[in-house]
Amino acid sequence: MKLGDKKPQKIPMYVYYIIVGVIIVLLNLLVVPAVQERSIQKTDYSTFIKNVEEGNVSKATVEEDYIYYEVGSEESGNAILCKTVKMDDPDLVNRLLEADVTMDEVLPESPSIFMTLLFSYVVPIAIFILLGRWLSKKMMNSMGGGPGGMMSFGKSNAKVYVKSSTGIKFSDVAGEDEAKELLTEIVDYLHNPQKYTEIGASMPKGALLVGPPGTGKTLLAKAVAGEAEVPFFSISGSEFVEMFVGMGAAKVRDLFKQANEKAPCIVFIDEIDTIGKKRDGAGFTGGNDEREQTLNQLLTEMDGFDGSKGVVILAATNRPDSLDPALLRPGRFDRRIPVELPDLQGREEILRVHAKKIKIADSVRFDEIAKAAAGASGAELANIVNEAALRAVRDGRKFATQADFEESIEVVIAGYQKKNRVLSNKEKLIVSYHEIGHALVAAKQTESAPVHKITIIPRTSGALGYTMQVDEKEHFLMSKEELENKIATFTGGRAAEELIFHSITTGASNDIEQATKLARAMITRYGMSEDFDMVAMENVSNQYLGGDASLACSFETQTLLDKKVVELVKKQHEKALTILKENMPKLHELAKYLYEHETITGEEFMKILQEPVPVLEEA
Ligand code: ADP
Ligand code: MG
Ligand code: ZN
């Protein structure tokens, strides 16, 4: 299959069946009777009578509608078979007897049986077989790497893109500047290889895009396809997974064969972890033969071609740590391109890229939205924009407003607003104090992030209240104090409940989980406790998929570690209690406001907090 060429138009299989069927029917209708009738001469009745009277007829058969007879004798070899219509002639038998005509079976059977057999069975079957052979041959040829059919075992079904057929450009990918830079270099190399070879530089054979889900890895690869003016083979790792052992390997072989023929070109393997998982030594698990063979074939193929030919292999994964080390060694995927969650500026850019597709009000502030959507991935941001547009339609507006965006953030991040779930007044009051407790503790600790919005409208996700915290500026290094403040903020909700209601509720389970996680990480991974100094207590794998921590310390240390975590959280819990006690009037005032309005923005919150406490009333 040539790139850019139109594939030969495929005629569906059933058309061939119809053609064969029609041929058979025509043969039966036309040819077979024609053969049977071939040697029978039609005559009129008077000719027949004349022939009988003249003694030319030797044999005759009278049938219901026709009379068949032979003119001339069979012995002389010039007998002609004739046919005529039967007339209402009472003298017929007498006439025949008089003329000494043998009344006998005259229809010659042997030739017609032979012909019938030939034309109604042998010829159609022959046509059928020939057509079938020709068809399968044609299919084999045209299959190349094209979409598979039942005869495509062992063929890779990589999609081939040519320039701009995806329509996605680097400009469609917002943020991710480093990734774009690295990929641009690869595209440039494929366009002007001599620029690089003159200096003696050779491109890496493979580049691996790694990052959490939804950050635009697949999108980036499609953009490369859009920008590069070379063939682009795209296949997902799972497409190599086959039912039969050896098929996956055959597909890999076929893919690289095609790529070599089309060089310079790019091969993109999405979700490579499905075939590139670490091979484990244990033979007990079984059933891994197929995957292992596929991986081995991939490794072999990657070694097999030389980079100067201009075949670049891109792959994407969100589980780089589960990949077989052999895949990552130099000469294979030796360039790693991190595609991380977008930062504040990146989020704003992504929002702008997607907002181009919808109508928005002029007053929409993307920086605000980006700030509120901290931690959202590109895919989530795209979803937020779409939700905002949907909301505008639902409310019968022609464009999306700031409020639409803010609501859609909550929808995407916290689940749909639940209209039918009502809290009792007592519950509402508790939730109000709980959420204000978080916010107050956060605001009173100098370095903690101020709140953006607090709401006590229940969400489908199960959270009763919800405090949206926003970091004023992003930072990648968190100090020990900042982390401690965060823990204090997590405990703030429960602390407020304790102080006001002198009882505790189940509402703090998520806070507890988060506080514990953070406190643990501080001790086991960030080296932030004196007892363990800079010793790692945990190993973390799958960092892009939430992270699975596994302990790496002795049993005694574990006990001590648990004790330290409890101490750390307890200290912060006490700190939160102190802060709230010191700000009791504000706690009441803010909680009352939230209870009444159900929602409080960061600005309103800060305004109330900064108003002087009306001391006189209390006195
Ligand atoms: P993954 O990293 O899981 O392969 P995708 O590339 O499939 O993520 O991204 C999913 C969707 O999210 C894209 O189709 C796009 O709409 C959006 N998206 C993700 N990252 C970005 C980005 N950096 N710029 C613009 N859109 C993005
Ligand atoms: Mg993807
Ligand atoms: Zn809470």
Side-chain angles (χ1 to χ4, degrees):
M1 185 173 63
K2 253 229 187 110
L3 278 167
D5 278 0
K6 280 246 166 68
K7 259 192 268 163
Q9 279 260 308
K10 277 235 176 89
I11 303 169
M13 202 61 188
Y14 67 87
V15 172
Y16 289 102
Y17 287 122
I18 290 175
I19 293 175
V20 170
V22 167
I23 289 174
I24 292 174
V25 171
L26 284 180
L27 280 176
N28 271 310
L29 280 182
L30 303 175
V31 180
V32 175
V35 165
Q36 282 176 345
E37 302 267 301
R38 196 189 48 174
S39 51
I40 302 179
Q41 210 170 41
K42 281 186 189 136
T43 59
D44 51 34
Y45 196 70
S46 48
T47 319
F48 165 65
I49 298 297
K50 211 173 125 212
N51 270 323
V52 170
E53 278 167 3
E54 282 172 10
N56 294 334
V57 177
S58 52
K59 279 182 190 169
T61 313
V62 181
E63 286 188 349
E64 206 157 357
D65 297 321
Y66 297 102
I67 299 166
Y68 295 91
Y69 61 99
E70 254 179 31
V71 181
S73 65
E74 235 171 319
E75 293 87 70
S76 60
N78 53 3
I80 303 165
L81 188 60
C82 294
K83 171 188 174 187
T84 184
V85 276
K86 190 181 159 195
M87 291 293 205
D88 196 9
D89 182 358
D91 287 342
L92 178 65
V93 179
N94 283 339
R95 277 184 220 245
L96 290 176
L97 284 173
E98 253 168 51
D100 201 17
V101 176
T102 333
M103 271 172 272
D104 199 2
E105 188 65 56
V106 293
L107 277 177
E109 283 183 3
S110 41
S112 83
I113 282 175
F114 172 73
M115 284 301 184
T116 312
L117 271 178
L118 184 70
F119 281 97
S120 54
Y121 295 102
V122 181
V123 172
I125 288 172
I127 291 176
F128 211 84
I129 291 172
L130 285 178
L131 206 71
R133 275 198 179 181
W134 172 72
L135 252 177
S136 63
K137 211 170 171 186
K138 209 170 122 82
M139 275 172 81
M140 290 291 199
N141 289 342
S142 73
M143 203 89 69
M150 56 178 185
M151 277 165 243
S152 68
F153 288 131
K155 296 271 176 192
S156 85
N157 28 18
K159 287 187 234 36
V160 185
Y161 295 113
V162 238
K163 183 197 161 203
S164 79
S165 65
T166 63
I168 294 170
K169 297 264 163 194
F170 278 140
S171 57
D172 292 313
V173 188
E176 310 299 350
D177 293 325
E178 301 96 73
K180 275 198 270 185
E181 202 173 295
L182 289 166
L183 290 171
T184 314
E185 196 183 45
I186 290 176
V187 170
D188 184 54
Y189 167 77
L190 291 171
H191 288 174
N192 321 292
Q194 71 282 5
K195 192 166 100 188
Y196 292 80
T197 45
E198 262 168 27
I199 310 179
S202 70
M203 263 291 118
K205 272 188 194 175
L208 188 64
L209 296 158
V210 296
T215 46
K217 297 180 296 297
T218 309
L219 191 70
L220 270 166
K222 282 187 185 155
V224 171
E227 298 270 347
E229 288 165 35
V230 297
F232 185 92
F233 296 84
S234 168
I235 191 163
S236 168
S238 60
E239 285 172 64
F240 289 114
V241 180
E242 279 286 343
M243 193 164 25
F244 305 113
V245 174
M247 282 304 165
K251 280 190 168 181
V252 172
R253 217 173 299 130
D254 181 65
L255 175 67
F256 279 84
K257 201 174 128 239
Q258 286 187 58
N260 261 323
E261 283 163 9
K262 297 284 181 292
C265 68
I266 299 169
V267 176
F268 174 56
I269 307 173
D270 207 354
E271 314 284 355
I272 195 171
D273 42 286
T274 36
I275 49 165
K277 266 197 225 105
K278 277 194 193 92
R279 289 162 292 187
D280 44 3
F284 302 112
T285 43
N288 279 343
D289 267 10
E290 161 64 359
R291 224 195 54 218
E292 233 166 74
Q293 275 197 21
T294 311
L295 175 58
N296 282 335
Q297 189 64 40
L298 182 66
L299 296 174
T300 316
E301 293 289 347
M302 286 194 74
D303 285 342
F305 67 88
D306 76 291
S308 62
K309 241 189 130 182
V311 181
V312 174
I313 300 163
L314 291 181
T317 178
N318 38 34
R319 314 192 47 185
D321 47 87
S322 77
L323 289 183
D324 197 283
L327 261 181
L328 303 172
R329 76 145 173 75
R332 287 174 186 147
F333 288 107
D334 40 14
R335 188 176 280 192
R336 219 180 226 249
I337 304 181
V339 188
E340 298 286 355
L341 284 175
D343 57 5
L344 184 60
Q345 205 196 332
R347 288 201 299 273
E348 193 178 328
E349 282 169 30
I350 294 173
L351 283 169
R352 282 184 195 283
V353 164
H354 287 280
K356 269 188 213 143
K357 296 171 204 155
I358 68 168
K359 288 207 181 79
I360 52 164
D362 294 334
S363 59
V364 170
R365 298 267 318 269
F366 285 109
D367 50 343
E368 293 278 318
I369 303 163
K371 224 184 238 180
S377 69
E380 278 164 336
L381 290 166
N383 198 5
I384 285 171
V385 173
N386 191 45
E387 282 288 342
L390 285 177
R391 211 179 102 97
V393 175
R394 222 177 288 140
D395 291 359
R397 266 176 279 111
K398 288 262 180 287
F399 40 75
T401 63
Q402 182 80 11
D404 288 329
F405 278 100
E406 287 191 353
E407 177 66 15
S408 65
I409 292 173
E410 287 167 39
V411 166
V412 170
I413 294 177
Y416 276 94
Q417 193 167 327
K418 240 198 173 169
K419 291 270 185 335
N420 52 0
R421 182 162 166 189
V422 200
L423 292 179
S424 74
N425 284 346
K426 170 91 191 209
E427 282 172 328
K428 219 169 111 181
L429 197 64
I430 295 175
V431 176
S432 298
Y433 272 100
H434 178 108
E435 295 303 326
I436 294 293
H438 283 307
L440 202 56
V441 172
K444 281 290 166 187
Q445 299 172 112
T446 42
E447 278 179 284
S448 246
V451 281
H452 178 78
K453 189 175 174 182
I454 309 167
T455 146
I456 54 168
I457 302 166
R459 306 274 145 183
T460 40
S461 65
L464 294 182
Y466 161 64
T467 303
M468 206 191 273
Q469 294 203 22
V470 183
D471 291 298
E472 262 313 309
K473 55 181 181 350
E474 281 203 53
H475 32 224
F476 299 99
L477 281 179
M478 298 264 270
S479 68
K480 189 178 168 187
E481 285 69 41
E482 282 170 315
L483 290 175
E484 283 176 349
N485 287 349
K486 264 195 134 148
I487 297 176
T489 303
F490 284 132
T491 61
R494 164 65 67 85
E497 286 181 44
E498 283 171 82
L499 285 176
I500 308 298
F501 303 98
H502 306 293
S503 73
I504 49 178
T505 65
T506 54
S509 61
N510 185 40
D511 301 334
I512 292 170
E513 194 186 318
Q514 298 221 47
T516 313
K517 232 188 211 167
L518 201 55
R520 242 195 132 74
M522 281 175 71
I523 294 172
T524 59
R525 279 153 54 203
Y526 305 145
M528 286 180 178
S529 76
E530 280 108 47
D531 308 82
F532 299 116
D533 204 53
M534 285 183 60
V535 176
M537 299 287 140
E538 274 179 354
N539 295 322
V540 175
S541 52
N542 276 346
Q543 52 166 324
Y544 287 118
L545 296 176
D548 306 328
S550 54
L551 280 172
C553 56
S554 73
F555 197 68
E556 293 79 47
T557 320
Q558 266 182 50
T559 320
L560 184 61
L561 190 122
D562 289 336
K563 227 172 92 198
K564 289 287 159 195
V565 172
V566 175
E567 264 171 37
L568 179 57
V569 176
K570 213 169 190 166
K571 203 171 142 217
Q572 297 311 313
H573 189 167
E574 262 145 34
K575 185 165 116 194
L577 282 168
T578 317
I579 291 175
L580 291 180
K581 271 185 205 152
E582 282 167 4
N583 294 282
M584 215 39 138
K586 286 291 167 201
L587 176 61
H588 284 303
E589 200 182 341
L590 285 161
K592 196 165 154 256
Y593 184 96
L594 182 59
Y595 178 76
E596 277 162 12
H597 293 81
E598 294 199 342
T599 301
I600 183 171
T601 66
E603 278 156 35
E604 288 165 335
F605 181 89
M606 290 318 278
K607 212 176 124 233
I608 296 174
L609 191 62
Q610 276 152 10
E611 275 169 7
V613 185
V615 193
L616 286 176
E617 267 177 46
E618 295 222 279

